[in-house]
Amino acid sequence: MRTALLAGASAAALLSPTLALGLTPEEAWQSWQDAADEAGVALTVADRTASGDTLTLTGVAYALEAEDGTTMSGTMDEVVFAAQGDDTVVVTLPESYPLTLSDPGLDGMPPGSAAMTISHPGLSLVMSGTDDGGTATDYAAPEIAVTLVEVAEGGTAQDISGSVTLTGVEGRNTRGGGDMPSVESAFTAAEVAAAFVGTDPETGGTFDFSMSAADVSSTSSGTLSSLYAASDDLGALIEDGFAVRGEGGTGPVALTLVTEGMPESFSLDAGMTGTSGTVRIDGERMEYDFGFDGTAFTASGSEIPFPQVTGGLGALRTLISVPSTPTDDAQPMDLTVALRDLTLGEEIWSLFDPAGQLPRDPATLVVDLGGQMRMLTDMFSEEAMMSAEAPAEVTALDIEELRLALAGALLTGEGGFTFDYDAPGPFGPGSPAPDGGVNLRLEGGQGLLETLVGMGLLPEEQAMMVRMMTGMVARPAPEGGDVLLSDITVQPDGTVLANGAPLPF
């Protein structure tokens, strides 16, 4: 994690060094050096020439080594800083330059390296000062490409080639002044595409991978100075002021993977209509909210007993939002897992329902929870989270949506519970006293049960037990039909009621 944070921070620092309003080429270059030093990047120059409002650097080399021994290095033949007479500085980089990544051999793997070329013909890079003594960097390029030159493992070159290409790129990075600089960024690309092919040295099998994403965008803001602290403790970094927020998304995404002789063959074509995501980590909250829409796939291969397998997912969303640090008072919490409109091709259905007795309706599962919780310990401390003591107390749990749709049946529910940690709980020492309930509604459940029995997938004896249990906890809906209702209540003394009647357990 430390390596990833350093790499991202270093890139942001070099693109957004701290300056005063109104720049000169010398100030711009000095800010690059200061930012590189802060980020742990070794930045050296073979020669420099100043002429009027232009500073020309040759042999600009950069190198970064992470704590795990992973290194990043490269050299730019020439970098030019040119004042424009309007308090801005245009920075001209080579149209292409090398970049090398290497690792000493992590997790029992042999040492590896990847040499690549970064190219961006037509890149525009303009630096300007900001009112708070920071700097803004505006950039645009018709195309930015990272192309593999050589990949080696254990000193042996691997048969892998490929590239990542961004087209229609525009962005802006702003870095504030002061000891704890704020950072904001905005980025868009008309398309991001990747393509890689290679050969497995052990089996001789081949792979061919490609993907593309249209209308890519992202924004972020936060503070970065604490990233350079010599610590892997994210809790300590947050206490030091680390904060980050970001959001991003894409339009349509397409992916293709074909393997041959590895030793099996496999083919996958997949796509999505869009993706989105947000993240927040600071001294108050930790939030992750990710989702994608309109997924469809087709797969085939030597280990798949059909000509092909097809499926789709209308939407997927995963949300977690919780307090990030210990608090005296309970704070809001949210947890959502939603899979909507899952479909499978007839080749899968025919395995267990060749006669088509079960409805092929799309399946949906939604669990949307809210409530209040109090963090008791540092959630980023592995030692604290592994402790026998509970890391948090949930004081209220709201079931905002419960939905399960499958094979023509639909289960829905809503409700809520509170938990009193000052009262003796009925479930053992230290447990809270619960109070609340959930209202459930099942449509089409009896019909699905009878269909499963008729298909021979469920023995009649087991179906009888399901009917008996259902009779204990559910009641027919007033409107009649294949609809059951159930109101489950849990009282502070541990008594559980179903439709007002105590359950015998």
Side-chain angles (χ1 to χ4, degrees), residues 459-478:
E460 178 60 37
E461 295 80 6
Q462 296 183 17
M464 182 64 69
M465 294 182 60
V466 172
R467 296 187 189 99
M468 293 176 59
M469 293 296 297
T470 301
M472 294 176 59
V473 300
R475 67 184 190 277

Side-chain angles (χ1 to χ4, degrees), residues 6 41-42 68 96 106 133 163 169 180 212 237 248 250 280 291-292 334 379 382 414 422 433 441 457 480 497:
L6 271 176
V41 177
D68 61 6
S96 65
L106 305 175
S163 64
V169 177
M180 186 68 70
S212 64
L237 294 180
T250 73
R280 172 186 175 184
F292 53 80
D334 290 286
M379 67 183 304
E382 182 177 353
E414 61 180 7
D422 295 326
R441 177 184 177 92
L457 297 177
L497 307 177

Side-chain angles (χ1 to χ4, degrees), residues 19-23 27 87 128-131 133-134:
L19 303 172
L21 183 64
L23 308 183
E27 290 171 335
D87 292 332
S128 58
T130 61
D131 292 338

Side-chain angles (χ1 to χ4, degrees), residues 292-297 311-317 338-343 363:
F292 53 80
D293 300 313
T295 300
F297 72 89
L313 184 62
L316 180 144
R317 185 190 182 201
L339 295 90
R340 300 183 186 273
D341 298 331
L342 172 66
T343 60

Side-chain angles (χ1 to χ4, degrees), residues 150-160 201:
E150 182 182 74
V151 175
E153 184 176 287
T156 302
Q158 305 296 301
D159 180 18
I160 301 175

